Amino acid sequence: QVQLVQSGAEVKKPGASVKVSCKASGYTFTSYYMHWVRQAPGQGLECMGIINPSGGSTSYAQKFQGRVTMTRDTSTSTVYMELSSLRSEDTAVYYCAREYRSGYPDWGQGTLVTVSS
Amino acid sequence: DIQMTQSPSSLSASVGDRVTITCRASQSISNYLNWYQQKPGKAPKLLIYVASSLQSGVPSRFSGSGSGTDFTLTISSLQPEDFATYYCQQSYSTPRTFGQGTKLEIK
């Protein structure tokens, strides 16, 4: 069965960076795009961007351009999302999600990132 | 970016009720519309993909319809486990965008 296992919760100071990992198993890693979605406390879902694990190409939402970097390691079937210049508004749960037939049937468990001085 | 607008933002209903949630896209997205259910503290769960296809394992009381800019999610007979927040999402273009959510509460 498909599993996406994310790294643990993080607490960061404003201005710092955070790197969240998402390890995939149960399917051919390079065959499906991976997306990153975040959800601030009590708020809705927000797509941050997408990575093609096959070639590593990425597409980021304009809101995050210049601050987000998505990468992958095919040897460990892991994708990463790094967000820099953190501010309090970046406090959120960050999810990876596998795209399949246009939807996201598989999600990681979520990683809480707290930005606080 | 394509804007997705859901209505209503919240809804009170009773077990056994038929419920409809609507989603409108700011431009045509063909049938590239997905619906998710989210419960507190959990990741979203895919219910419907490409507007009307039922995700494996999802009860048949959930159905979706629409194309172009207007879409609906219908729950034919609400069950206690259906009280949650529902989101639509377009997968026509990047960045993918979600509606603001519809919170379905028990009346």
Side-chain angles (χ1 to χ4, degrees), chain A residues 33 35 37 39 43-47 50 59-62 95 99-105 107-109, chain B residues 1 32 34 36 38 41-46 49-50 55-56 87 89 91 94-100:
Chain A
Y33 291 171
H35 297 250
V37 177
Q39 186 170 37
Q43 302 302 308
L45 301 166
E46 182 175 35
C47 286
I50 176 176
S59 176
Y60 304 137
Q62 187 167 9
Y95 294 101
E99 179 174 338
Y100 178 64
R101 292 191 288 190
S102 292
Y104 305 163
W107 294 68
Q109 82 275 20
Chain B
D1 298 359
Y32 290 97
N34 308 309
Y36 298 85
Q38 188 180 32
K42 300 293 188 182
K45 174 185 176 181
L46 179 63
Y49 61 97
V50 292
Q55 174 66 10
S56 175
Y87 294 93
Q89 180 210 26
S91 52
T94 56
R96 308 283 196 250
T97 43
F98 289 90
Q100 80 278 15

mmCIF file of all heavy atoms in Angstrom, chain A residues 33 35 37 39 43-47 50 59-62 95 99-105 107-109, chain B residues 1 32 34 36 38 41-46 49-50 55-56 87 89 91 94-100:
data_model
loop_
_atom_site.group_PDB
_atom_site.id
_atom_site.type_symbol
_atom_site.label_atom_id
_atom_site.label_comp_id
_atom_site.label_asym_id
_atom_site.label_seq_id
_atom_site.Cartn_x
_atom_site.Cartn_y
_atom_site.Cartn_z
ATOM 1 N N TYR A 33 3.675 12.631 -9.775
ATOM 2 C CA TYR A 33 4.012 13.925 -9.215
ATOM 3 C C TYR A 33 3.674 13.963 -7.730
ATOM 4 O O TYR A 33 2.734 13.317 -7.262
ATOM 5 C CB TYR A 33 3.214 15.040 -9.910
ATOM 6 C CG TYR A 33 3.585 15.303 -11.340
ATOM 7 C CD1 TYR A 33 2.802 16.146 -12.122
ATOM 8 C CD2 TYR A 33 4.698 14.731 -11.944
ATOM 9 C CE1 TYR A 33 3.118 16.412 -13.444
ATOM 10 C CE2 TYR A 33 5.027 14.983 -13.256
ATOM 11 C CZ TYR A 33 4.240 15.826 -13.999
ATOM 12 O OH TYR A 33 4.553 16.081 -15.315
ATOM 13 N N HIS A 35 2.911 16.767 -4.577
ATOM 14 C CA HIS A 35 2.534 18.141 -4.277
ATOM 15 C C HIS A 35 2.780 18.435 -2.804
ATOM 16 O O HIS A 35 2.761 17.525 -1.981
ATOM 17 C CB HIS A 35 1.057 18.363 -4.581
ATOM 18 C CG HIS A 35 0.692 18.180 -6.021
ATOM 19 N ND1 HIS A 35 0.329 19.232 -6.830
ATOM 20 C CD2 HIS A 35 0.635 17.061 -6.786
ATOM 21 C CE1 HIS A 35 0.057 18.760 -8.040
ATOM 22 N NE2 HIS A 35 0.243 17.453 -8.043
ATOM 23 N N VAL A 37 1.145 20.857 0.228
ATOM 24 C CA VAL A 37 -0.048 21.619 0.604
ATOM 25 C C VAL A 37 0.117 22.020 2.058
ATOM 26 O O VAL A 37 0.580 21.215 2.869
ATOM 27 C CB VAL A 37 -1.318 20.746 0.449
ATOM 28 C CG1 VAL A 37 -2.562 21.519 0.907
ATOM 29 C CG2 VAL A 37 -1.483 20.275 -0.991
ATOM 30 N N GLN A 39 -1.642 24.073 5.637
ATOM 31 C CA GLN A 39 -2.888 24.481 6.275
ATOM 32 C C GLN A 39 -2.548 25.192 7.579
ATOM 33 O O GLN A 39 -2.073 24.571 8.531
ATOM 34 C CB GLN A 39 -3.770 23.263 6.548
ATOM 35 C CG GLN A 39 -5.144 23.598 7.074
ATOM 36 C CD GLN A 39 -6.060 22.382 7.089
ATOM 37 O OE1 GLN A 39 -5.639 21.259 7.374
ATOM 38 N NE2 GLN A 39 -7.331 22.599 6.767
ATOM 39 N N GLN A 43 -7.513 27.276 9.286
ATOM 40 C CA GLN A 43 -7.697 27.810 7.932
ATOM 41 C C GLN A 43 -7.847 26.680 6.903
ATOM 42 O O GLN A 43 -7.835 25.503 7.255
ATOM 43 C CB GLN A 43 -6.512 28.701 7.565
ATOM 44 C CG GLN A 43 -6.292 29.866 8.512
ATOM 45 C CD GLN A 43 -7.510 30.771 8.609
ATOM 46 O OE1 GLN A 43 -8.037 31.232 7.587
ATOM 47 N NE2 GLN A 43 -7.978 31.018 9.813
ATOM 48 N N GLY A 44 -7.971 27.074 5.652
ATOM 49 C CA GLY A 44 -8.161 26.119 4.570
ATOM 50 C C GLY A 44 -6.846 25.588 4.019
ATOM 51 O O GLY A 44 -5.769 25.823 4.568
ATOM 52 N N LEU A 45 -6.977 24.862 2.908
ATOM 53 C CA LEU A 45 -5.840 24.203 2.275
ATOM 54 C C LEU A 45 -5.236 25.099 1.208
ATOM 55 O O LEU A 45 -5.959 25.726 0.428
ATOM 56 C CB LEU A 45 -6.304 22.884 1.659
ATOM 57 C CG LEU A 45 -6.933 21.893 2.637
ATOM 58 C CD1 LEU A 45 -7.650 20.784 1.888
ATOM 59 C CD2 LEU A 45 -5.865 21.314 3.556
ATOM 60 N N GLU A 46 -3.910 25.109 1.155
ATOM 61 C CA GLU A 46 -3.197 25.995 0.225
ATOM 62 C C GLU A 46 -2.094 25.198 -0.474
ATOM 63 O O GLU A 46 -1.211 24.644 0.188
ATOM 64 C CB GLU A 46 -2.606 27.170 0.993
ATOM 65 C CG GLU A 46 -1.878 28.177 0.152
ATOM 66 C CD GLU A 46 -1.414 29.371 0.974
ATOM 67 O OE1 GLU A 46 -1.041 29.197 2.147
ATOM 68 O OE2 GLU A 46 -1.399 30.486 0.426
ATOM 69 N N CYS A 47 -2.149 25.147 -1.802
ATOM 70 C CA CYS A 47 -1.122 24.442 -2.569
ATOM 71 C C CYS A 47 0.113 25.303 -2.700
ATOM 72 O O CYS A 47 0.027 26.468 -3.081
ATOM 73 C CB CYS A 47 -1.636 24.085 -3.955
ATOM 74 S SG CYS A 47 -2.810 22.740 -3.964
ATOM 75 N N ILE A 50 4.597 21.792 -6.843
ATOM 76 C CA ILE A 50 4.628 20.417 -7.330
ATOM 77 C C ILE A 50 6.030 20.069 -7.784
ATOM 78 O O ILE A 50 6.758 20.927 -8.287
ATOM 79 C CB ILE A 50 3.611 20.265 -8.490
ATOM 80 C CG1 ILE A 50 3.648 18.875 -9.109
ATOM 81 C CG2 ILE A 50 3.830 21.326 -9.557
ATOM 82 C CD1 ILE A 50 2.593 18.675 -10.198
ATOM 83 N N SER A 59 7.261 23.326 -10.043
ATOM 84 C CA SER A 59 6.426 24.487 -10.319
ATOM 85 C C SER A 59 5.904 24.967 -8.977
ATOM 86 O O SER A 59 5.302 24.186 -8.236
ATOM 87 C CB SER A 59 5.280 24.114 -11.261
ATOM 88 O OG SER A 59 4.417 25.221 -11.453
ATOM 89 N N TYR A 60 6.146 26.247 -8.695
ATOM 90 C CA TYR A 60 5.774 26.790 -7.397
ATOM 91 C C TYR A 60 4.649 27.816 -7.548
ATOM 92 O O TYR A 60 4.610 28.576 -8.528
ATOM 93 C CB TYR A 60 6.964 27.468 -6.733
ATOM 94 C CG TYR A 60 8.189 26.590 -6.565
ATOM 95 C CD1 TYR A 60 9.464 27.074 -6.829
ATOM 96 C CD2 TYR A 60 8.071 25.268 -6.129
ATOM 97 C CE1 TYR A 60 10.592 26.288 -6.680
ATOM 98 C CE2 TYR A 60 9.193 24.462 -5.979
ATOM 99 C CZ TYR A 60 10.443 24.979 -6.263
ATOM 100 O OH TYR A 60 11.555 24.179 -6.102
ATOM 101 N N ALA A 61 3.779 27.867 -6.556
ATOM 102 C CA ALA A 61 2.790 28.932 -6.522
ATOM 103 C C ALA A 61 3.509 30.277 -6.389
ATOM 104 O O ALA A 61 4.523 30.376 -5.686
ATOM 105 C CB ALA A 61 1.836 28.716 -5.346
ATOM 106 N N GLN A 62 2.989 31.264 -7.061
ATOM 107 C CA GLN A 62 3.664 32.568 -7.094
ATOM 108 C C GLN A 62 3.888 33.119 -5.684
ATOM 109 O O GLN A 62 4.906 33.750 -5.426
ATOM 110 C CB GLN A 62 2.834 33.545 -7.922
ATOM 111 C CG GLN A 62 3.530 34.871 -8.170
ATOM 112 C CD GLN A 62 2.846 35.700 -9.243
ATOM 113 O OE1 GLN A 62 1.750 35.385 -9.714
ATOM 114 N NE2 GLN A 62 3.489 36.777 -9.664
ATOM 115 N N TYR A 95 1.757 19.305 4.337
ATOM 116 C CA TYR A 95 1.480 17.956 3.851
ATOM 117 C C TYR A 95 2.146 17.736 2.498
ATOM 118 O O TYR A 95 2.146 18.639 1.651
ATOM 119 C CB TYR A 95 -0.020 17.745 3.612
ATOM 120 C CG TYR A 95 -0.919 17.762 4.815
ATOM 121 C CD1 TYR A 95 -1.675 18.898 5.119
ATOM 122 C CD2 TYR A 95 -1.071 16.634 5.622
ATOM 123 C CE1 TYR A 95 -2.545 18.911 6.199
ATOM 124 C CE2 TYR A 95 -1.946 16.638 6.710
ATOM 125 C CZ TYR A 95 -2.672 17.784 6.985
ATOM 126 O OH TYR A 95 -3.545 17.784 8.052
ATOM 127 N N GLU A 99 -0.083 12.789 -6.487
ATOM 128 C CA GLU A 99 -1.129 12.979 -7.486
ATOM 129 C C GLU A 99 -1.347 11.687 -8.262
ATOM 130 O O GLU A 99 -0.386 11.060 -8.747
ATOM 131 C CB GLU A 99 -0.763 14.098 -8.462
ATOM 132 C CG GLU A 99 -1.828 14.303 -9.535
ATOM 133 C CD GLU A 99 -1.561 15.494 -10.428
ATOM 134 O OE1 GLU A 99 -0.817 16.402 -10.010
ATOM 135 O OE2 GLU A 99 -2.108 15.521 -11.543
ATOM 136 N N TYR A 100 -2.593 11.306 -8.395
ATOM 137 C CA TYR A 100 -2.962 10.121 -9.169
ATOM 138 C C TYR A 100 -4.330 10.367 -9.794
ATOM 139 O O TYR A 100 -5.288 10.678 -9.086
ATOM 140 C CB TYR A 100 -2.986 8.885 -8.278
ATOM 141 C CG TYR A 100 -3.400 7.610 -8.984
ATOM 142 C CD1 TYR A 100 -2.634 7.081 -10.008
ATOM 143 C CD2 TYR A 100 -4.567 6.945 -8.622
ATOM 144 C CE1 TYR A 100 -3.018 5.917 -10.658
ATOM 145 C CE2 TYR A 100 -4.953 5.780 -9.254
ATOM 146 C CZ TYR A 100 -4.171 5.266 -10.277
ATOM 147 O OH TYR A 100 -4.553 4.118 -10.915
ATOM 148 N N ARG A 101 -4.425 10.253 -11.088
ATOM 149 C CA ARG A 101 -5.675 10.505 -11.816
ATOM 150 C C ARG A 101 -6.256 11.862 -11.422
ATOM 151 O O ARG A 101 -7.449 11.986 -11.168
ATOM 152 C CB ARG A 101 -6.684 9.374 -11.597
ATOM 153 C CG ARG A 101 -6.236 8.070 -12.235
ATOM 154 C CD ARG A 101 -7.317 7.023 -12.261
ATOM 155 N NE ARG A 101 -7.613 6.457 -10.961
ATOM 156 C CZ ARG A 101 -8.377 5.392 -10.775
ATOM 157 N NH1 ARG A 101 -8.910 4.760 -11.799
ATOM 158 N NH2 ARG A 101 -8.615 4.940 -9.555
ATOM 159 N N SER A 102 -5.397 12.854 -11.389
ATOM 160 C CA SER A 102 -5.748 14.262 -11.187
ATOM 161 C C SER A 102 -6.066 14.639 -9.748
ATOM 162 O O SER A 102 -6.149 15.827 -9.446
ATOM 163 C CB SER A 102 -6.921 14.686 -12.077
ATOM 164 O OG SER A 102 -6.541 14.681 -13.430
ATOM 165 N N GLY A 103 -6.263 13.650 -8.870
ATOM 166 C CA GLY A 103 -6.540 13.973 -7.477
ATOM 167 C C GLY A 103 -5.389 13.558 -6.578
ATOM 168 O O GLY A 103 -4.361 13.063 -7.048
ATOM 169 N N TYR A 104 -5.550 13.786 -5.267
ATOM 170 C CA TYR A 104 -4.539 13.380 -4.292
ATOM 171 C C TYR A 104 -5.136 12.288 -3.396
ATOM 172 O O TYR A 104 -5.707 12.589 -2.340
ATOM 173 C CB TYR A 104 -4.132 14.548 -3.388
ATOM 174 C CG TYR A 104 -3.634 15.807 -4.062
ATOM 175 C CD1 TYR A 104 -3.583 16.993 -3.354
ATOM 176 C CD2 TYR A 104 -3.211 15.829 -5.386
ATOM 177 C CE1 TYR A 104 -3.125 18.160 -3.930
ATOM 178 C CE2 TYR A 104 -2.755 16.999 -5.981
ATOM 179 C CZ TYR A 104 -2.715 18.167 -5.243
ATOM 180 O OH TYR A 104 -2.271 19.323 -5.827
ATOM 181 N N PRO A 105 -5.014 11.034 -3.786
ATOM 182 C CA PRO A 105 -5.570 9.969 -2.941
ATOM 183 C C PRO A 105 -4.700 9.628 -1.749
ATOM 184 O O PRO A 105 -5.155 8.991 -0.806
ATOM 185 C CB PRO A 105 -5.655 8.774 -3.908
ATOM 186 C CG PRO A 105 -4.555 9.032 -4.893
ATOM 187 C CD PRO A 105 -4.494 10.523 -5.067
ATOM 188 N N TRP A 107 -1.841 10.983 1.143
ATOM 189 C CA TRP A 107 -1.285 12.127 1.851
ATOM 190 C C TRP A 107 -0.321 11.669 2.936
ATOM 191 O O TRP A 107 -0.502 10.587 3.522
ATOM 192 C CB TRP A 107 -2.412 12.929 2.531
ATOM 193 C CG TRP A 107 -3.371 13.584 1.597
ATOM 194 C CD1 TRP A 107 -4.284 12.966 0.779
ATOM 195 C CD2 TRP A 107 -3.539 14.987 1.396
ATOM 196 N NE1 TRP A 107 -4.998 13.912 0.080
ATOM 197 C CE2 TRP A 107 -4.572 15.157 0.441
ATOM 198 C CE3 TRP A 107 -2.930 16.124 1.924
ATOM 199 C CZ2 TRP A 107 -4.992 16.417 -0.003
ATOM 200 C CZ3 TRP A 107 -3.358 17.376 1.491
ATOM 201 C CH2 TRP A 107 -4.373 17.521 0.548
ATOM 202 N N GLY A 108 0.685 12.488 3.220
ATOM 203 C CA GLY A 108 1.477 12.268 4.401
ATOM 204 C C GLY A 108 0.666 12.609 5.646
ATOM 205 O O GLY A 108 -0.460 13.131 5.541
ATOM 206 N N GLN A 109 1.248 12.337 6.789
ATOM 207 C CA GLN A 109 0.521 12.569 8.043
ATOM 208 C C GLN A 109 0.536 14.034 8.469
ATOM 209 O O GLN A 109 -0.170 14.413 9.410
ATOM 210 C CB GLN A 109 1.098 11.683 9.165
ATOM 211 C CG GLN A 109 2.354 12.216 9.845
ATOM 212 C CD GLN A 109 3.646 11.880 9.130
ATOM 213 O OE1 GLN A 109 3.653 11.558 7.941
ATOM 214 N NE2 GLN A 109 4.744 11.971 9.872
ATOM 215 N N ASP B 1 -3.912 32.732 -11.265
ATOM 216 C CA ASP B 1 -4.372 31.524 -10.611
ATOM 217 C C ASP B 1 -5.896 31.417 -10.719
ATOM 218 O O ASP B 1 -6.598 32.414 -10.728
ATOM 219 C CB ASP B 1 -3.992 31.524 -9.131
ATOM 220 C CG ASP B 1 -2.493 31.561 -8.901
ATOM 221 O OD1 ASP B 1 -1.736 31.565 -9.904
ATOM 222 O OD2 ASP B 1 -2.082 31.577 -7.725
ATOM 223 N N TYR B 32 -11.866 18.950 -14.436
ATOM 224 C CA TYR B 32 -10.734 18.746 -13.538
ATOM 225 C C TYR B 32 -11.028 19.303 -12.149
ATOM 226 O O TYR B 32 -10.409 20.272 -11.678
ATOM 227 C CB TYR B 32 -9.464 19.353 -14.137
ATOM 228 C CG TYR B 32 -8.978 18.592 -15.337
ATOM 229 C CD1 TYR B 32 -9.296 19.002 -16.625
ATOM 230 C CD2 TYR B 32 -8.229 17.425 -15.178
ATOM 231 C CE1 TYR B 32 -8.862 18.281 -17.728
ATOM 232 C CE2 TYR B 32 -7.786 16.697 -16.277
ATOM 233 C CZ TYR B 32 -8.110 17.142 -17.550
ATOM 234 O OH TYR B 32 -7.693 16.422 -18.646
ATOM 235 N N ASN B 34 -11.890 18.107 -8.072
ATOM 236 C CA ASN B 34 -11.854 17.056 -7.049
ATOM 237 C C ASN B 34 -12.535 17.548 -5.781
ATOM 238 O O ASN B 34 -12.578 18.747 -5.519
ATOM 239 C CB ASN B 34 -10.401 16.699 -6.723
ATOM 240 C CG ASN B 34 -9.584 16.385 -7.959
ATOM 241 O OD1 ASN B 34 -9.977 15.573 -8.786
ATOM 242 N ND2 ASN B 34 -8.444 17.053 -8.109
ATOM 243 N N TYR B 36 -12.723 16.786 -1.480
ATOM 244 C CA TYR B 36 -12.075 16.174 -0.333
ATOM 245 C C TYR B 36 -12.931 16.391 0.913
ATOM 246 O O TYR B 36 -13.633 17.398 1.036
ATOM 247 C CB TYR B 36 -10.699 16.798 -0.081
ATOM 248 C CG TYR B 36 -9.730 16.612 -1.224
ATOM 249 C CD1 TYR B 36 -9.728 17.489 -2.301
ATOM 250 C CD2 TYR B 36 -8.824 15.566 -1.227
ATOM 251 C CE1 TYR B 36 -8.853 17.321 -3.361
ATOM 252 C CE2 TYR B 36 -7.935 15.385 -2.273
ATOM 253 C CZ TYR B 36 -7.957 16.269 -3.335
ATOM 254 O OH TYR B 36 -7.084 16.088 -4.383
ATOM 255 N N GLN B 38 -12.344 16.564 5.127
ATOM 256 C CA GLN B 38 -11.326 16.644 6.160
ATOM 257 C C GLN B 38 -11.961 16.699 7.535
ATOM 258 O O GLN B 38 -12.872 17.495 7.772
ATOM 259 C CB GLN B 38 -10.409 17.856 5.957
ATOM 260 C CG GLN B 38 -9.223 17.855 6.909
ATOM 261 C CD GLN B 38 -8.300 19.045 6.742
ATOM 262 O OE1 GLN B 38 -8.729 20.139 6.395
ATOM 263 N NE2 GLN B 38 -7.008 18.828 6.989
ATOM 264 N N GLY B 41 -7.690 17.489 12.701
ATOM 265 C CA GLY B 41 -6.441 16.808 13.015
ATOM 266 C C GLY B 41 -6.020 15.736 12.031
ATOM 267 O O GLY B 41 -5.020 15.049 12.262
ATOM 268 N N LYS B 42 -6.756 15.617 10.930
ATOM 269 C CA LYS B 42 -6.452 14.581 9.947
ATOM 270 C C LYS B 42 -6.141 15.193 8.595
ATOM 271 O O LYS B 42 -6.554 16.310 8.291
ATOM 272 C CB LYS B 42 -7.650 13.630 9.795
ATOM 273 C CG LYS B 42 -8.045 12.907 11.062
ATOM 274 C CD LYS B 42 -6.982 11.935 11.496
ATOM 275 C CE LYS B 42 -7.466 11.073 12.661
ATOM 276 N NZ LYS B 42 -6.409 10.140 13.129
ATOM 277 N N ALA B 43 -5.417 14.422 7.769
ATOM 278 C CA ALA B 43 -5.197 14.838 6.390
ATOM 279 C C ALA B 43 -6.507 14.730 5.611
ATOM 280 O O ALA B 43 -7.381 13.924 5.950
ATOM 281 C CB ALA B 43 -4.137 13.959 5.738
ATOM 282 N N PRO B 44 -6.653 15.530 4.586
ATOM 283 C CA PRO B 44 -7.851 15.420 3.739
ATOM 284 C C PRO B 44 -7.942 14.034 3.102
ATOM 285 O O PRO B 44 -6.935 13.358 2.896
ATOM 286 C CB PRO B 44 -7.633 16.494 2.677
ATOM 287 C CG PRO B 44 -6.712 17.479 3.323
ATOM 288 C CD PRO B 44 -5.809 16.641 4.180
ATOM 289 N N LYS B 45 -9.181 13.654 2.792
ATOM 290 C CA LYS B 45 -9.461 12.373 2.145
ATOM 291 C C LYS B 45 -10.136 12.645 0.803
ATOM 292 O O LYS B 45 -11.135 13.387 0.746
ATOM 293 C CB LYS B 45 -10.389 11.550 3.029
ATOM 294 C CG LYS B 45 -10.869 10.245 2.412
ATOM 295 C CD LYS B 45 -11.887 9.575 3.329
ATOM 296 C CE LYS B 45 -12.470 8.320 2.708
ATOM 297 N NZ LYS B 45 -13.479 7.692 3.600
ATOM 298 N N LEU B 46 -9.606 12.063 -0.260
ATOM 299 C CA LEU B 46 -10.195 12.253 -1.585
ATOM 300 C C LEU B 46 -11.505 11.481 -1.688
ATOM 301 O O LEU B 46 -11.550 10.281 -1.442
ATOM 302 C CB LEU B 46 -9.207 11.764 -2.652
ATOM 303 C CG LEU B 46 -9.659 11.868 -4.104
ATOM 304 C CD1 LEU B 46 -9.886 13.321 -4.522
ATOM 305 C CD2 LEU B 46 -8.645 11.200 -5.028
ATOM 306 N N TYR B 49 -12.981 12.442 -7.869
ATOM 307 C CA TYR B 49 -11.978 13.038 -8.754
ATOM 308 C C TYR B 49 -12.570 13.199 -10.155
ATOM 309 O O TYR B 49 -13.540 12.508 -10.513
ATOM 310 C CB TYR B 49 -10.680 12.218 -8.758
ATOM 311 C CG TYR B 49 -10.827 10.792 -9.245
ATOM 312 C CD1 TYR B 49 -10.538 10.454 -10.563
ATOM 313 C CD2 TYR B 49 -11.256 9.788 -8.381
ATOM 314 C CE1 TYR B 49 -10.675 9.152 -11.018
ATOM 315 C CE2 TYR B 49 -11.401 8.480 -8.824
ATOM 316 C CZ TYR B 49 -11.109 8.164 -10.136
ATOM 317 O OH TYR B 49 -11.251 6.867 -10.583
ATOM 318 N N VAL B 50 -11.987 14.088 -10.908
ATOM 319 C CA VAL B 50 -12.499 14.502 -12.223
ATOM 320 C C VAL B 50 -14.026 14.609 -12.211
ATOM 321 O O VAL B 50 -14.724 14.027 -13.042
ATOM 322 C CB VAL B 50 -11.984 13.629 -13.387
ATOM 323 C CG1 VAL B 50 -10.484 13.855 -13.566
ATOM 324 C CG2 VAL B 50 -12.266 12.146 -13.184
ATOM 325 N N GLN B 55 -13.900 7.890 -5.668
ATOM 326 C CA GLN B 55 -12.647 7.271 -5.248
ATOM 327 C C GLN B 55 -12.945 5.913 -4.609
ATOM 328 O O GLN B 55 -13.952 5.746 -3.909
ATOM 329 C CB GLN B 55 -11.908 8.184 -4.264
ATOM 330 C CG GLN B 55 -10.658 7.612 -3.625
ATOM 331 C CD GLN B 55 -9.526 7.356 -4.596
ATOM 332 O OE1 GLN B 55 -9.574 7.769 -5.753
ATOM 333 N NE2 GLN B 55 -8.503 6.656 -4.141
ATOM 334 N N SER B 56 -12.047 4.969 -4.834
ATOM 335 C CA SER B 56 -12.195 3.628 -4.283
ATOM 336 C C SER B 56 -12.388 3.685 -2.768
ATOM 337 O O SER B 56 -11.671 4.400 -2.053
ATOM 338 C CB SER B 56 -10.954 2.802 -4.614
ATOM 339 O OG SER B 56 -11.009 1.539 -4.006
ATOM 340 N N TYR B 87 -13.800 20.299 0.842
ATOM 341 C CA TYR B 87 -13.078 21.223 -0.035
ATOM 342 C C TYR B 87 -13.165 20.750 -1.484
ATOM 343 O O TYR B 87 -13.021 19.551 -1.767
ATOM 344 C CB TYR B 87 -11.587 21.276 0.326
ATOM 345 C CG TYR B 87 -11.278 21.868 1.678
ATOM 346 C CD1 TYR B 87 -11.150 21.046 2.797
ATOM 347 C CD2 TYR B 87 -11.093 23.238 1.841
ATOM 348 C CE1 TYR B 87 -10.851 21.580 4.038
ATOM 349 C CE2 TYR B 87 -10.791 23.783 3.085
ATOM 350 C CZ TYR B 87 -10.674 22.942 4.171
ATOM 351 O OH TYR B 87 -10.376 23.475 5.403
ATOM 352 N N GLN B 89 -11.257 21.288 -5.265
ATOM 353 C CA GLN B 89 -9.913 21.616 -5.767
ATOM 354 C C GLN B 89 -9.892 21.472 -7.281
ATOM 355 O O GLN B 89 -10.395 20.468 -7.816
ATOM 356 C CB GLN B 89 -8.872 20.670 -5.174
ATOM 357 C CG GLN B 89 -7.446 20.932 -5.643
ATOM 358 C CD GLN B 89 -6.596 19.669 -5.682
ATOM 359 O OE1 GLN B 89 -7.093 18.561 -5.836
ATOM 360 N NE2 GLN B 89 -5.288 19.840 -5.503
ATOM 361 N N SER B 91 -7.767 20.760 -10.649
ATOM 362 C CA SER B 91 -6.511 20.155 -11.087
ATOM 363 C C SER B 91 -6.305 20.412 -12.583
ATOM 364 O O SER B 91 -5.639 19.646 -13.277
ATOM 365 C CB SER B 91 -6.489 18.659 -10.772
ATOM 366 O OG SER B 91 -7.637 18.013 -11.274
ATOM 367 N N THR B 94 -1.647 24.521 -12.773
ATOM 368 C CA THR B 94 -0.876 24.834 -11.574
ATOM 369 C C THR B 94 -0.806 26.348 -11.406
ATOM 370 O O THR B 94 -0.744 27.081 -12.414
ATOM 371 C CB THR B 94 0.550 24.264 -11.651
ATOM 372 O OG1 THR B 94 1.186 24.754 -12.840
ATOM 373 C CG2 THR B 94 0.534 22.745 -11.680
ATOM 374 N N PRO B 95 -0.836 26.848 -10.166
ATOM 375 C CA PRO B 95 -0.948 26.044 -8.962
ATOM 376 C C PRO B 95 -2.356 25.492 -8.775
ATOM 377 O O PRO B 95 -3.339 26.160 -9.113
ATOM 378 C CB PRO B 95 -0.603 27.038 -7.855
ATOM 379 C CG PRO B 95 -1.086 28.341 -8.388
ATOM 380 C CD PRO B 95 -0.821 28.294 -9.865
ATOM 381 N N ARG B 96 -2.415 24.270 -8.309
ATOM 382 C CA ARG B 96 -3.715 23.749 -7.939
ATOM 383 C C ARG B 96 -4.309 24.671 -6.872
ATOM 384 O O ARG B 96 -3.567 25.197 -6.036
ATOM 385 C CB ARG B 96 -3.580 22.344 -7.354
ATOM 386 C CG ARG B 96 -2.783 21.369 -8.217
ATOM 387 C CD ARG B 96 -3.611 20.887 -9.377
ATOM 388 N NE ARG B 96 -3.022 19.704 -9.979
ATOM 389 C CZ ARG B 96 -2.449 19.684 -11.181
ATOM 390 N NH1 ARG B 96 -2.379 20.796 -11.898
ATOM 391 N NH2 ARG B 96 -1.948 18.561 -11.650
ATOM 392 N N THR B 97 -5.581 24.873 -6.891
ATOM 393 C CA THR B 97 -6.194 25.745 -5.896
ATOM 394 C C THR B 97 -7.422 25.066 -5.316
ATOM 395 O O THR B 97 -8.135 24.324 -6.009
ATOM 396 C CB THR B 97 -6.571 27.109 -6.494
ATOM 397 O OG1 THR B 97 -7.170 26.914 -7.786
ATOM 398 C CG2 THR B 97 -5.343 27.992 -6.652
ATOM 399 N N PHE B 98 -7.641 25.358 -4.032
ATOM 400 C CA PHE B 98 -8.775 24.807 -3.296
ATOM 401 C C PHE B 98 -9.826 25.882 -3.054
ATOM 402 O O PHE B 98 -9.494 27.081 -2.973
ATOM 403 C CB PHE B 98 -8.325 24.290 -1.925
ATOM 404 C CG PHE B 98 -7.498 23.037 -1.949
ATOM 405 C CD1 PHE B 98 -6.117 23.104 -2.030
ATOM 406 C CD2 PHE B 98 -8.104 21.795 -1.858
ATOM 407 C CE1 PHE B 98 -5.340 21.946 -2.034
ATOM 408 C CE2 PHE B 98 -7.342 20.628 -1.859
ATOM 409 C CZ PHE B 98 -5.959 20.711 -1.951
ATOM 410 N N GLY B 99 -11.051 25.444 -2.897
ATOM 411 C CA GLY B 99 -12.069 26.325 -2.360
ATOM 412 C C GLY B 99 -11.791 26.586 -0.889
ATOM 413 O O GLY B 99 -10.923 25.940 -0.280
ATOM 414 N N GLN B 100 -12.558 27.494 -0.324
ATOM 415 C CA GLN B 100 -12.298 27.905 1.065
ATOM 416 C C GLN B 100 -12.837 26.908 2.086
ATOM 417 O O GLN B 100 -12.558 27.021 3.276
ATOM 418 C CB GLN B 100 -12.887 29.300 1.324
ATOM 419 C CG GLN B 100 -14.384 29.320 1.597
ATOM 420 C CD GLN B 100 -15.244 29.286 0.341
ATOM 421 O OE1 GLN B 100 -14.785 28.968 -0.761
ATOM 422 N NE2 GLN B 100 -16.523 29.623 0.508
#
